[in-house]
PDB file of all heavy atoms in Angstrom:
ATOM      1  N   PHE A  25       0.825  -1.210   0.000  1.00 94.00           N
ATOM      2  CA  PHE A  25       0.000   0.000   0.000  1.00 94.00           C
ATOM      3  C   PHE A  25       0.857   1.258   0.000  1.00 94.00           C
ATOM      4  O   PHE A  25       0.491   2.268  -0.584  1.00 94.00           O
ATOM      5  CB  PHE A  25      -0.942  -0.002   1.205  1.00 94.00           C
ATOM      6  CG  PHE A  25      -2.007  -1.058   1.111  1.00 94.00           C
ATOM      7  CD1 PHE A  25      -1.822  -2.316   1.670  1.00 94.00           C
ATOM      8  CD2 PHE A  25      -3.193  -0.812   0.435  1.00 94.00           C
ATOM      9  CE1 PHE A  25      -2.792  -3.293   1.566  1.00 94.00           C
ATOM     10  CE2 PHE A  25      -4.169  -1.783   0.327  1.00 94.00           C
ATOM     11  CZ  PHE A  25      -3.968  -3.034   0.892  1.00 94.00           C
ATOM     12  N   HIS A  26       2.021   1.216   0.683  1.00 96.00           N
ATOM     13  CA  HIS A  26       2.839   2.420   0.811  1.00 96.00           C
ATOM     14  C   HIS A  26       4.307   2.124   0.532  1.00 96.00           C
ATOM     15  O   HIS A  26       4.855   1.156   1.043  1.00 96.00           O
ATOM     16  CB  HIS A  26       2.688   3.008   2.224  1.00 96.00           C
ATOM     17  CG  HIS A  26       1.286   3.381   2.567  1.00 96.00           C
ATOM     18  ND1 HIS A  26       0.530   2.681   3.481  1.00 96.00           N
ATOM     19  CD2 HIS A  26       0.489   4.367   2.102  1.00 96.00           C
ATOM     20  CE1 HIS A  26      -0.669   3.225   3.560  1.00 96.00           C
ATOM     21  NE2 HIS A  26      -0.716   4.248   2.733  1.00 96.00           N
ATOM     22  N   GLN A  27       4.911   2.992  -0.291  1.00 97.00           N
ATOM     23  CA  GLN A  27       6.339   2.920  -0.554  1.00 97.00           C
ATOM     24  C   GLN A  27       7.083   3.837   0.416  1.00 97.00           C
ATOM     25  O   GLN A  27       6.526   4.835   0.888  1.00 97.00           O
ATOM     26  CB  GLN A  27       6.647   3.330  -1.996  1.00 97.00           C
ATOM     27  CG  GLN A  27       6.368   2.243  -3.013  1.00 97.00           C
ATOM     28  CD  GLN A  27       4.887   1.982  -3.209  1.00 97.00           C
ATOM     29  OE1 GLN A  27       4.150   2.889  -3.556  1.00 97.00           O
ATOM     30  NE2 GLN A  27       4.445   0.770  -2.975  1.00 97.00           N
ATOM     31  N   ILE A  28       8.331   3.488   0.706  1.00 98.00           N
ATOM     32  CA  ILE A  28       9.140   4.296   1.613  1.00 98.00           C
ATOM     33  C   ILE A  28       9.973   5.299   0.828  1.00 98.00           C
ATOM     34  O   ILE A  28       9.915   6.504   1.052  1.00 98.00           O
ATOM     35  CB  ILE A  28      10.059   3.396   2.470  1.00 98.00           C
ATOM     36  CG1 ILE A  28       9.246   2.329   3.210  1.00 98.00           C
ATOM     37  CG2 ILE A  28      10.852   4.253   3.469  1.00 98.00           C
ATOM     38  CD1 ILE A  28      10.083   1.274   3.910  1.00 98.00           C
ATOM     39  N   ASN A  29      10.756   4.796  -0.141  1.00 98.00           N
ATOM     40  CA  ASN A  29      11.616   5.652  -0.949  1.00 98.00           C
ATOM     41  C   ASN A  29      12.147   4.829  -2.113  1.00 98.00           C
ATOM     42  O   ASN A  29      12.047   3.602  -2.117  1.00 98.00           O
ATOM     43  CB  ASN A  29      12.784   6.191  -0.105  1.00 98.00           C
ATOM     44  CG  ASN A  29      13.464   7.404  -0.724  1.00 98.00           C
ATOM     45  OD1 ASN A  29      13.008   7.943  -1.724  1.00 98.00           O
ATOM     46  ND2 ASN A  29      14.564   7.836  -0.121  1.00 98.00           N
ATOM     47  N   ALA A  30      12.702   5.516  -3.118  1.00 98.00           N
ATOM     48  CA  ALA A  30      13.362   4.845  -4.243  1.00 98.00           C
ATOM     49  C   ALA A  30      14.497   5.737  -4.716  1.00 98.00           C
ATOM     50  O   ALA A  30      14.342   6.965  -4.783  1.00 98.00           O
ATOM     51  CB  ALA A  30      12.377   4.577  -5.381  1.00 98.00           C
ATOM     52  N   PHE A  31      15.641   5.129  -5.021  1.00 98.00           N
ATOM     53  CA  PHE A  31      16.774   5.926  -5.486  1.00 98.00           C
ATOM     54  C   PHE A  31      17.668   5.077  -6.390  1.00 98.00           C
ATOM     55  O   PHE A  31      17.642   3.844  -6.341  1.00 98.00           O
ATOM     56  CB  PHE A  31      17.579   6.495  -4.309  1.00 98.00           C
ATOM     57  CG  PHE A  31      18.195   5.457  -3.404  1.00 98.00           C
ATOM     58  CD1 PHE A  31      19.498   5.021  -3.603  1.00 98.00           C
ATOM     59  CD2 PHE A  31      17.470   4.924  -2.344  1.00 98.00           C
ATOM     60  CE1 PHE A  31      20.069   4.075  -2.771  1.00 98.00           C
ATOM     61  CE2 PHE A  31      18.035   3.975  -1.496  1.00 98.00           C
ATOM     62  CZ  PHE A  31      19.336   3.541  -1.715  1.00 98.00           C
ATOM     63  N   GLU A  32      18.444   5.780  -7.221  1.00 98.00           N
ATOM     64  CA  GLU A  32      19.328   5.132  -8.186  1.00 98.00           C
ATOM     65  C   GLU A  32      20.781   5.280  -7.743  1.00 98.00           C
ATOM     66  O   GLU A  32      21.186   6.342  -7.261  1.00 98.00           O
ATOM     67  CB  GLU A  32      19.143   5.776  -9.561  1.00 98.00           C
ATOM     68  CG  GLU A  32      17.718   5.723 -10.085  1.00 98.00           C
ATOM     69  CD  GLU A  32      17.445   6.787 -11.126  1.00 98.00           C
ATOM     70  OE1 GLU A  32      18.333   7.031 -11.971  1.00 98.00           O
ATOM     71  OE2 GLU A  32      16.359   7.393 -11.081  1.00 98.00           O
ATOM     72  N   GLU A  33      21.542   4.204  -7.922  1.00 96.00           N
ATOM     73  CA  GLU A  33      22.954   4.238  -7.550  1.00 96.00           C
ATOM     74  C   GLU A  33      23.695   3.111  -8.263  1.00 96.00           C
ATOM     75  O   GLU A  33      23.242   1.953  -8.236  1.00 96.00           O
ATOM     76  CB  GLU A  33      23.080   4.091  -6.029  1.00 96.00           C
ATOM     77  CG  GLU A  33      24.407   4.552  -5.452  1.00 96.00           C
ATOM     78  CD  GLU A  33      24.370   4.588  -3.935  1.00 96.00           C
ATOM     79  OE1 GLU A  33      24.185   3.524  -3.309  1.00 96.00           O
ATOM     80  OE2 GLU A  33      24.504   5.684  -3.360  1.00 96.00           O
ATOM     81  N   ASP A  34      24.782   3.448  -8.923  1.00 94.00           N
ATOM     82  CA  ASP A  34      25.643   2.439  -9.561  1.00 94.00           C
ATOM     83  C   ASP A  34      24.879   1.557 -10.548  1.00 94.00           C
ATOM     84  O   ASP A  34      25.081   0.340 -10.601  1.00 94.00           O
ATOM     85  CB  ASP A  34      26.323   1.564  -8.507  1.00 94.00           C
ATOM     86  CG  ASP A  34      27.175   2.362  -7.530  1.00 94.00           C
ATOM     87  OD1 ASP A  34      27.759   3.367  -7.965  1.00 94.00           O
ATOM     88  OD2 ASP A  34      27.225   1.989  -6.345  1.00 94.00           O
ATOM     89  N   GLY A  35      23.991   2.162 -11.333  1.00 96.00           N
ATOM     90  CA  GLY A  35      23.264   1.398 -12.339  1.00 96.00           C
ATOM     91  C   GLY A  35      22.153   0.526 -11.785  1.00 96.00           C
ATOM     92  O   GLY A  35      21.596  -0.313 -12.507  1.00 96.00           O
ATOM     93  N   LEU A  36      21.800   0.739 -10.517  1.00 98.00           N
ATOM     94  CA  LEU A  36      20.734  -0.026  -9.859  1.00 98.00           C
ATOM     95  C   LEU A  36      19.677   0.918  -9.327  1.00 98.00           C
ATOM     96  O   LEU A  36      19.977   2.064  -8.953  1.00 98.00           O
ATOM     97  CB  LEU A  36      21.307  -0.857  -8.713  1.00 98.00           C
ATOM     98  CG  LEU A  36      22.401  -1.876  -9.056  1.00 98.00           C
ATOM     99  CD1 LEU A  36      23.024  -2.429  -7.788  1.00 98.00           C
ATOM    100  CD2 LEU A  36      21.835  -3.000  -9.921  1.00 98.00           C
ATOM    101  N   LEU A  37      18.456   0.441  -9.289  1.00 98.00           N
ATOM    102  CA  LEU A  37      17.346   1.198  -8.721  1.00 98.00           C
ATOM    103  C   LEU A  37      16.858   0.467  -7.492  1.00 98.00           C
ATOM    104  O   LEU A  37      16.399  -0.680  -7.566  1.00 98.00           O
ATOM    105  CB  LEU A  37      16.219   1.337  -9.750  1.00 98.00           C
ATOM    106  CG  LEU A  37      14.897   1.943  -9.275  1.00 98.00           C
ATOM    107  CD1 LEU A  37      15.106   3.347  -8.706  1.00 98.00           C
ATOM    108  CD2 LEU A  37      13.894   1.994 -10.414  1.00 98.00           C
ATOM    109  N   MET A  38      16.986   1.116  -6.336  1.00 98.00           N
ATOM    110  CA  MET A  38      16.510   0.556  -5.078  1.00 98.00           C
ATOM    111  C   MET A  38      15.079   1.029  -4.828  1.00 98.00           C
ATOM    112  O   MET A  38      14.817   2.234  -4.852  1.00 98.00           O
ATOM    113  CB  MET A  38      17.411   0.975  -3.918  1.00 98.00           C
ATOM    114  CG  MET A  38      18.622   0.079  -3.699  1.00 98.00           C
ATOM    115  SD  MET A  38      19.687  -0.135  -5.150  1.00 98.00           S
ATOM    116  CE  MET A  38      20.444   1.489  -5.288  1.00 98.00           C
ATOM    117  N   VAL A  39      14.180   0.088  -4.604  1.00 98.00           N
ATOM    118  CA  VAL A  39      12.783   0.402  -4.309  1.00 98.00           C
ATOM    119  C   VAL A  39      12.465  -0.146  -2.921  1.00 98.00           C
ATOM    120  O   VAL A  39      12.486  -1.358  -2.703  1.00 98.00           O
ATOM    121  CB  VAL A  39      11.822  -0.207  -5.351  1.00 98.00           C
ATOM    122  CG1 VAL A  39      10.388   0.179  -5.022  1.00 98.00           C
ATOM    123  CG2 VAL A  39      12.194   0.259  -6.755  1.00 98.00           C
ATOM    124  N   ASP A  40      12.191   0.745  -1.982  1.00 98.00           N
ATOM    125  CA  ASP A  40      11.903   0.374  -0.597  1.00 98.00           C
ATOM    126  C   ASP A  40      10.419   0.565  -0.332  1.00 98.00           C
ATOM    127  O   ASP A  40       9.862   1.628  -0.637  1.00 98.00           O
ATOM    128  CB  ASP A  40      12.713   1.232   0.367  1.00 98.00           C
ATOM    129  CG  ASP A  40      14.223   1.062   0.180  1.00 98.00           C
ATOM    130  OD1 ASP A  40      14.624   0.110  -0.508  1.00 98.00           O
ATOM    131  OD2 ASP A  40      14.979   1.886   0.727  1.00 98.00           O
ATOM    132  N   LEU A  41       9.790  -0.430   0.241  1.00 98.00           N
ATOM    133  CA  LEU A  41       8.349  -0.388   0.442  1.00 98.00           C
ATOM    134  C   LEU A  41       7.933  -1.275   1.612  1.00 98.00           C
ATOM    135  O   LEU A  41       8.681  -2.143   2.047  1.00 98.00           O
ATOM    136  CB  LEU A  41       7.616  -0.822  -0.824  1.00 98.00           C
ATOM    137  CG  LEU A  41       7.765  -2.278  -1.281  1.00 98.00           C
ATOM    138  CD1 LEU A  41       6.664  -2.617  -2.284  1.00 98.00           C
ATOM    139  CD2 LEU A  41       9.104  -2.554  -1.929  1.00 98.00           C
ATOM    140  N   CYS A  42       6.734  -1.028   2.108  1.00 97.00           N
ATOM    141  CA  CYS A  42       6.125  -1.901   3.102  1.00 97.00           C
ATOM    142  C   CYS A  42       5.228  -2.884   2.367  1.00 97.00           C
ATOM    143  O   CYS A  42       4.370  -2.463   1.583  1.00 97.00           O
ATOM    144  CB  CYS A  42       5.308  -1.093   4.110  1.00 97.00           C
ATOM    145  SG  CYS A  42       6.311  -0.014   5.150  1.00 97.00           S
ATOM    146  N   CYS A  43       5.421  -4.177   2.609  1.00 96.00           N
ATOM    147  CA  CYS A  43       4.615  -5.150   1.879  1.00 96.00           C
ATOM    148  C   CYS A  43       4.361  -6.391   2.720  1.00 96.00           C
ATOM    149  O   CYS A  43       5.054  -6.655   3.704  1.00 96.00           O
ATOM    150  CB  CYS A  43       5.269  -5.519   0.554  1.00 96.00           C
ATOM    151  SG  CYS A  43       6.977  -6.038   0.657  1.00 96.00           S
ATOM    152  N   ALA A  44       3.333  -7.115   2.318  1.00 95.00           N
ATOM    153  CA  ALA A  44       2.921  -8.336   3.003  1.00 95.00           C
ATOM    154  C   ALA A  44       2.816  -9.460   1.988  1.00 95.00           C
ATOM    155  O   ALA A  44       2.754  -9.220   0.775  1.00 95.00           O
ATOM    156  CB  ALA A  44       1.577  -8.129   3.709  1.00 95.00           C
ATOM    157  N   ASP A  45       2.778 -10.673   2.499  1.00 94.00           N
ATOM    158  CA  ASP A  45       2.771 -11.845   1.611  1.00 94.00           C
ATOM    159  C   ASP A  45       1.374 -12.285   1.200  1.00 94.00           C
ATOM    160  O   ASP A  45       1.223 -13.311   0.531  1.00 94.00           O
ATOM    161  CB  ASP A  45       3.503 -13.013   2.285  1.00 94.00           C
ATOM    162  CG  ASP A  45       4.998 -12.754   2.402  1.00 94.00           C
ATOM    163  OD1 ASP A  45       5.555 -12.108   1.498  1.00 94.00           O
ATOM    164  OD2 ASP A  45       5.605 -13.186   3.401  1.00 94.00           O
ATOM    165  N   ASP A  46       0.357 -11.546   1.606  1.00 90.00           N
ATOM    166  CA  ASP A  46      -0.976 -11.769   1.046  1.00 90.00           C
ATOM    167  C   ASP A  46      -1.667 -10.427   0.887  1.00 90.00           C
ATOM    168  O   ASP A  46      -1.134  -9.393   1.288  1.00 90.00           O
ATOM    169  CB  ASP A  46      -1.800 -12.769   1.871  1.00 90.00           C
ATOM    170  CG  ASP A  46      -2.351 -12.196   3.176  1.00 90.00           C
ATOM    171  OD1 ASP A  46      -2.534 -10.971   3.275  1.00 90.00           O
ATOM    172  OD2 ASP A  46      -2.601 -12.981   4.099  1.00 90.00           O
ATOM    173  N   GLY A  47      -2.842 -10.429   0.274  1.00 86.00           N
ATOM    174  CA  GLY A  47      -3.517  -9.174  -0.042  1.00 86.00           C
ATOM    175  C   GLY A  47      -4.911  -9.071   0.521  1.00 86.00           C
ATOM    176  O   GLY A  47      -5.775  -8.421  -0.066  1.00 86.00           O
ATOM    177  N   ASP A  48      -5.148  -9.708   1.658  1.00 76.00           N
ATOM    178  CA  ASP A  48      -6.486  -9.696   2.252  1.00 76.00           C
ATOM    179  C   ASP A  48      -6.680  -8.589   3.270  1.00 76.00           C
ATOM    180  O   ASP A  48      -7.700  -8.550   3.961  1.00 76.00           O
ATOM    181  CB  ASP A  48      -6.776 -11.048   2.916  1.00 76.00           C
ATOM    182  CG  ASP A  48      -6.910 -12.167   1.884  1.00 76.00           C
ATOM    183  OD1 ASP A  48      -7.415 -11.885   0.781  1.00 76.00           O
ATOM    184  OD2 ASP A  48      -6.504 -13.304   2.191  1.00 76.00           O
ATOM    185  N   ALA A  49      -5.703  -7.684   3.400  1.00 75.00           N
ATOM    186  CA  ALA A  49      -5.755  -6.688   4.469  1.00 75.00           C
ATOM    187  C   ALA A  49      -7.005  -5.810   4.391  1.00 75.00           C
ATOM    188  O   ALA A  49      -7.580  -5.450   5.417  1.00 75.00           O
ATOM    189  CB  ALA A  49      -4.501  -5.823   4.424  1.00 75.00           C
TER     190      ALA A  49
END
């Protein structure tokens, strides 16, 4: 539902987020 941040470094894109292993929330 919510992402924390995303940034690029050394040819990589880091995507930080809060997530769960199911979608029944």
Side-chain angles (χ1 to χ4, degrees):
F25 291 93
H26 300 109
Q27 281 71 58
I28 305 171
N29 198 7
F31 62 94
E32 302 158 40
E33 199 171 63
D34 301 326
L36 301 170
L37 172 58
M38 274 55 71
V39 182
D40 299 347
L41 66 163
C42 293
C43 52
D45 291 326
D46 75 25
D48 292 326

